[in-house]
Coordinates of all heavy atoms in Angstrom, one line a residue:
T1 N 0.8 -1.2 0.0 CA 0.0 0.0 0.0 C 0.8 1.3 0.0 O 0.6 2.2 -0.8 CB -0.9 0.0 1.2 OG1 -0.2 -0.2 2.4 CG2 -2.0 -1.0 1.1
I2 N 1.8 1.4 0.9 CA 2.6 2.6 1.0 C 4.1 2.4 1.0 O 4.9 3.3 1.2 CB 2.2 3.4 2.3 CG1 2.5 2.5 3.5 CG2 0.8 3.9 2.2 CD1 2.3 3.3 4.8
N3 N 4.5 1.1 0.7 CA 6.0 0.8 0.7 C 6.6 1.2 2.0 O 7.7 1.9 2.0 CB 6.7 1.4 -0.5 CG 8.0 0.8 -0.9 OD1 8.4 -0.2 -0.2 ND2 8.6 1.2 -1.9
W4 N 6.0 0.9 3.1 CA 6.4 1.4 4.4 C 7.8 1.0 4.8 O 8.4 1.6 5.7 CB 5.4 1.2 5.5 CG 5.2 -0.2 6.0 CD1 5.8 -1.3 5.6 CD2 4.3 -0.6 7.1 NE1 5.4 -2.4 6.3 CE2 4.5 -2.0 7.2 CE3 3.5 0.1 7.9 CZ2 3.8 -2.7 8.2 CZ3 2.8 -0.6 8.8 CH2 2.9 -2.0 9.0
D5 N 8.3 -0.1 4.3 CA 9.6 -0.5 4.7 C 10.7 0.4 4.2 O 11.8 0.4 4.8 CB 9.9 -1.9 4.1 CG 9.5 -3.0 5.1 OD1 9.3 -2.7 6.3 OD2 9.3 -4.2 4.6
F6 N 10.4 1.3 3.2 CA 11.3 2.3 2.9 C 11.5 3.3 4.0 O 12.6 3.7 4.4 CB 10.8 3.1 1.6 CG 11.6 4.4 1.4 CD1 12.9 4.3 1.0 CD2 11.0 5.6 1.5 CE1 13.7 5.5 0.8 CE2 11.7 6.8 1.3 CZ 13.1 6.7 0.9
W7 N 10.4 3.7 4.6 CA 10.4 4.7 5.7 C 11.0 4.0 7.0 O 11.7 4.7 7.8 CB 9.0 5.2 6.0 CG 8.4 5.9 4.8 CD1 7.4 5.5 4.0 CD2 8.9 7.1 4.2 NE1 7.1 6.3 3.0 CE2 8.0 7.4 3.0 CE3 9.9 8.0 4.4 CZ2 8.2 8.5 2.2 CZ3 10.0 9.1 3.6 CH2 9.2 9.4 2.5
L8 N 10.7 2.8 7.2 CA 11.1 2.1 8.4 C 12.5 1.6 8.4 O 13.3 1.7 9.4 CB 10.2 0.9 8.7 CG 8.7 1.3 9.0 CD1 7.9 0.0 9.2 CD2 8.6 2.2 10.3
H9 N 12.9 1.1 7.2 CA 14.2 0.4 7.1 C 15.1 0.8 5.9 O 16.1 0.1 5.7 CB 14.0 -1.2 7.1 CG 13.1 -1.7 8.1 ND1 13.3 -1.5 9.5 CD2 11.9 -2.3 8.0 CE1 12.3 -2.1 10.2 NE2 11.4 -2.5 9.3
D10 N 14.7 1.8 5.2 CA 15.4 2.2 4.0 C 15.5 1.1 3.0 O 16.5 0.9 2.4 CB 16.8 2.7 4.4 CG 17.5 3.5 3.3 OD1 16.8 4.1 2.5 OD2 18.7 3.4 3.2
E11 N 14.4 0.4 2.8 CA 14.3 -0.6 1.8 C 14.1 0.1 0.4 O 13.1 0.7 0.2 CB 13.1 -1.6 2.1 CG 13.3 -2.9 1.4 CD 12.7 -2.9 0.0 OE1 11.5 -2.8 -0.2 OE2 13.5 -3.0 -0.9
L12 N 15.1 -0.1 -0.5 CA 15.2 0.8 -1.7 C 14.6 0.3 -3.0 O 14.8 0.9 -4.0 CB 16.7 1.2 -1.9 CG 17.4 1.9 -0.8 CD1 18.8 2.2 -1.1 CD2 16.7 3.3 -0.5
T13 N 13.9 -0.9 -2.9 CA 13.5 -1.5 -4.1 C 12.8 -0.6 -5.1 O 13.1 -0.5 -6.3 CB 12.6 -2.7 -3.8 OG1 13.3 -3.6 -2.9 CG2 12.3 -3.5 -5.1
F14 N 11.7 0.1 -4.5 CA 11.0 1.1 -5.3 C 10.9 2.4 -4.6 O 9.9 3.1 -4.6 CB 9.5 0.6 -5.6 CG 9.5 -0.8 -6.3 CD1 9.1 -1.9 -5.7 CD2 9.7 -0.8 -7.7 CE1 9.0 -3.1 -6.3 CE2 9.7 -2.0 -8.4 CZ 9.3 -3.2 -7.7
W15 N 12.0 2.9 -4.1 CA 12.0 4.0 -3.1 C 11.4 5.3 -3.7 O 10.9 6.1 -3.0 CB 13.4 4.2 -2.6 CG 14.3 4.9 -3.5 CD1 15.1 4.3 -4.5 CD2 14.5 6.3 -3.7 NE1 15.8 5.3 -5.2 CE2 15.4 6.5 -4.7 CE3 13.9 7.5 -3.1 CZ2 15.8 7.8 -5.2 CZ3 14.3 8.7 -3.5 CH2 15.3 8.9 -4.5
Y16 N 11.6 5.5 -5.0 CA 11.1 6.7 -5.6 C 9.6 7.0 -5.4 O 9.2 8.1 -5.2 CB 11.4 6.7 -7.1 CG 10.9 7.9 -7.9 CD1 11.7 9.1 -7.9 CD2 9.7 7.9 -8.6 CE1 11.2 10.2 -8.6 CE2 9.3 9.0 -9.3 CZ 10.0 10.2 -9.2 OH 9.5 11.3 -9.9
I17 N 8.8 5.9 -5.4 CA 7.4 6.0 -5.3 C 6.9 6.6 -4.0 O 6.2 7.6 -3.9 CB 6.7 4.7 -5.6 CG1 7.1 4.2 -7.0 CG2 5.2 4.8 -5.5 CD1 6.7 5.1 -8.1
P18 N 7.3 6.0 -2.8 CA 6.9 6.6 -1.5 C 7.5 8.0 -1.4 O 6.9 8.9 -0.8 CB 7.5 5.6 -0.5 CG 8.5 4.9 -1.2 CD 8.1 4.7 -2.6
A19 N 8.7 8.2 -1.9 CA 9.4 9.5 -1.8 C 8.6 10.6 -2.5 O 8.3 11.7 -2.0 CB 10.8 9.5 -2.3
I20 N 8.2 10.4 -3.8 CA 7.5 11.4 -4.6 C 6.1 11.6 -4.0 O 5.6 12.7 -4.0 CB 7.5 11.0 -6.1 CG1 7.1 12.3 -6.9 CG2 6.5 9.9 -6.4 CD1 8.1 13.4 -6.9
M21 N 5.4 10.5 -3.5 CA 4.1 10.7 -3.0 C 4.1 11.5 -1.7 O 3.2 12.3 -1.4 CB 3.4 9.4 -2.8 CG 3.1 8.7 -4.1 SD 2.1 7.2 -4.0 CE 0.5 7.9 -3.7
M22 N 5.2 11.3 -0.9 CA 5.3 12.2 0.3 C 5.5 13.6 0.0 O 5.0 14.5 0.6 CB 6.5 11.6 1.2 CG 6.8 12.4 2.4 SD 5.4 12.3 3.6 CE 5.6 10.7 4.2
L23 N 6.3 13.9 -1.1 CA 6.6 15.3 -1.5 C 5.3 15.9 -2.1 O 5.0 17.1 -1.8 CB 7.7 15.3 -2.5 CG 9.1 15.0 -2.0 CD1 10.1 14.8 -3.1 CD2 9.5 16.0 -1.0
Y24 N 4.5 15.1 -2.8 CA 3.2 15.6 -3.3 C 2.3 16.0 -2.1 O 1.5 16.9 -2.2 CB 2.5 14.5 -4.1 CG 3.0 14.3 -5.5 CD1 2.7 13.1 -6.2 CD2 3.9 15.2 -6.1 CE1 3.1 12.9 -7.5 CE2 4.4 15.0 -7.4 CZ 4.0 13.8 -8.1 OH 4.4 13.6 -9.3
L25 N 2.4 15.3 -1.0 CA 1.6 15.6 0.2 C 1.8 17.0 0.7 O 0.9 17.7 1.1 CB 1.9 14.6 1.3 CG 1.0 14.6 2.5 CD1 -0.5 14.3 2.1 CD2 1.5 13.6 3.5
F26 N 3.1 17.5 0.7 CA 3.4 18.8 1.2 C 3.5 19.9 0.2 O 3.5 21.1 0.5 CB 4.8 18.7 1.9 CG 4.8 17.9 3.2 CD1 5.1 16.6 3.2 CD2 4.3 18.5 4.4 CE1 5.1 15.8 4.4 CE2 4.2 17.7 5.6 CZ 4.6 16.4 5.6
A27 N 3.6 19.5 -1.1 CA 3.8 20.5 -2.2 C 2.7 21.6 -2.2 O 3.0 22.8 -2.4 CB 3.8 19.8 -3.5
P28 N 1.4 21.3 -2.1 CA 0.4 22.4 -2.2 C 0.6 23.5 -1.1 O 0.4 24.7 -1.4 CB -0.9 21.6 -1.9 CG -0.7 20.2 -2.3 CD 0.8 20.0 -1.9
F29 N 1.0 23.1 0.1 CA 1.2 24.1 1.1 C 2.4 25.0 0.8 O 2.4 26.2 1.0 CB 1.4 23.4 2.5 CG 0.2 22.5 2.8 CD1 0.3 21.1 2.6 CD2 -1.0 23.0 3.2 CE1 -0.7 20.3 2.9 CE2 -2.1 22.2 3.5 CZ -1.9 20.8 3.3
Y30 N 3.5 24.4 0.2 CA 4.6 25.2 -0.2 C 4.3 26.1 -1.4 O 4.7 27.3 -1.4 CB 5.8 24.2 -0.6 CG 7.0 25.0 -1.0 CD1 7.9 25.6 -0.1 CD2 7.3 25.0 -2.4 CE1 9.0 26.3 -0.5 CE2 8.5 25.7 -2.8 CZ 9.3 26.3 -1.9 OH 10.4 27.0 -2.3
M31 N 3.5 25.6 -2.3 CA 3.2 26.4 -3.5 C 2.3 27.5 -3.1 O 2.5 28.6 -3.7 CB 2.5 25.5 -4.5 CG 3.4 24.5 -5.2 SD 2.7 23.6 -6.6 CE 1.5 22.5 -5.8
E32 N 1.3 27.3 -2.2 CA 0.5 28.4 -1.8 C 1.3 29.4 -1.0 O 1.0 30.7 -1.1 CB -0.7 27.9 -1.0 CG -1.8 28.9 -0.8 CD -2.4 29.4 -2.1 OE1 -2.3 28.8 -3.2 OE2 -2.9 30.6 -2.1
L33 N 2.2 29.0 -0.2 CA 3.1 29.9 0.6 C 3.9 30.8 -0.4 O 3.9 32.0 -0.2 CB 4.0 29.1 1.5 CG 5.1 29.9 2.2 CD1 4.4 30.8 3.3 CD2 6.1 28.9 2.9
I34 N 4.5 30.2 -1.4 CA 5.3 31.1 -2.2 C 4.5 31.9 -3.2 O 5.0 32.9 -3.7 CB 6.4 30.3 -3.0 CG1 5.8 29.3 -4.0 CG2 7.3 29.6 -2.0 CD1 6.8 28.6 -4.8
R35 N 3.3 31.5 -3.5 CA 2.4 32.3 -4.3 C 2.0 33.6 -3.6 O 2.0 34.6 -4.1 CB 1.2 31.5 -4.7 CG 0.2 32.4 -5.6 CD -0.7 31.6 -6.5 NE -1.7 30.9 -5.8 CZ -2.8 30.2 -6.4 NH1 -2.8 30.3 -7.7 NH2 -3.7 29.6 -5.7
R36 N 1.8 33.4 -2.3 CA 1.4 34.6 -1.5 C 2.6 35.4 -1.0 O 2.5 36.6 -0.8 CB 0.6 34.1 -0.2 CG -0.7 33.5 -0.6 CD -1.5 33.1 0.6 NE -2.8 32.4 0.3 CZ -3.7 32.1 1.2 NH1 -3.5 32.4 2.4 NH2 -4.8 31.4 0.8
H37 N 3.7 34.7 -0.7 CA 4.9 35.3 -0.2 C 6.1 34.8 -1.0 O 6.8 33.9 -0.5 CB 5.1 35.0 1.3 CG 3.9 35.3 2.1 ND1 3.5 36.6 2.5 CD2 2.9 34.5 2.7 CE1 2.4 36.6 3.2 NE2 2.0 35.3 3.4
P38 N 6.4 35.4 -2.1 CA 7.5 34.9 -3.0 C 8.9 34.8 -2.4 O 9.7 33.9 -2.8 CB 7.5 35.9 -4.2 CG 6.1 36.5 -4.2 CD 5.7 36.5 -2.7
S39 N 9.1 35.5 -1.3 CA 10.5 35.5 -0.7 C 10.7 34.1 -0.1 O 11.9 33.7 0.1 CB 10.6 36.5 0.4 OG 9.6 36.4 1.4
Y40 N 9.7 33.3 0.2 CA 9.9 32.0 0.7 C 10.4 30.9 -0.3 O 10.6 29.8 0.0 CB 8.6 31.5 1.4 CG 8.4 32.0 2.8 CD1 7.8 33.3 2.9 CD2 8.9 31.4 3.9 CE1 7.7 33.8 4.2 CE2 8.8 31.9 5.2 CZ 8.1 33.1 5.3 OH 8.0 33.7 6.6
R41 N 10.6 31.4 -1.5 CA 11.3 30.5 -2.5 C 12.7 30.2 -2.1 O 13.3 29.3 -2.7 CB 11.3 31.2 -3.9 CG 10.0 31.3 -4.6 CD 10.1 31.6 -6.1 NE 8.9 31.5 -6.8 CZ 8.0 32.6 -7.0 NH1 8.4 33.8 -6.5 NH2 6.9 32.4 -7.6
W42 N 13.2 30.9 -1.1 CA 14.6 30.5 -0.6 C 14.6 29.4 0.4 O 15.6 29.0 0.9 CB 15.2 31.8 0.0 CG 15.6 32.8 -1.0 CD1 14.9 33.9 -1.4 CD2 16.8 32.9 -1.8 NE1 15.5 34.6 -2.3 CE2 16.7 34.0 -2.6 CE3 17.9 32.0 -1.8 CZ2 17.7 34.3 -3.5 CZ3 18.9 32.3 -2.7 CH2 18.8 33.5 -3.5

């Protein structure tokens, strides 16, 4: 379901998938932050 052994034990078989999905989870908040306050692009 979530390739949780990557997060628990650094099991790297398909590591890109849990990594990119985790980044997708936080991306909207970052994008809205820099849209309202561009200086946070740093």
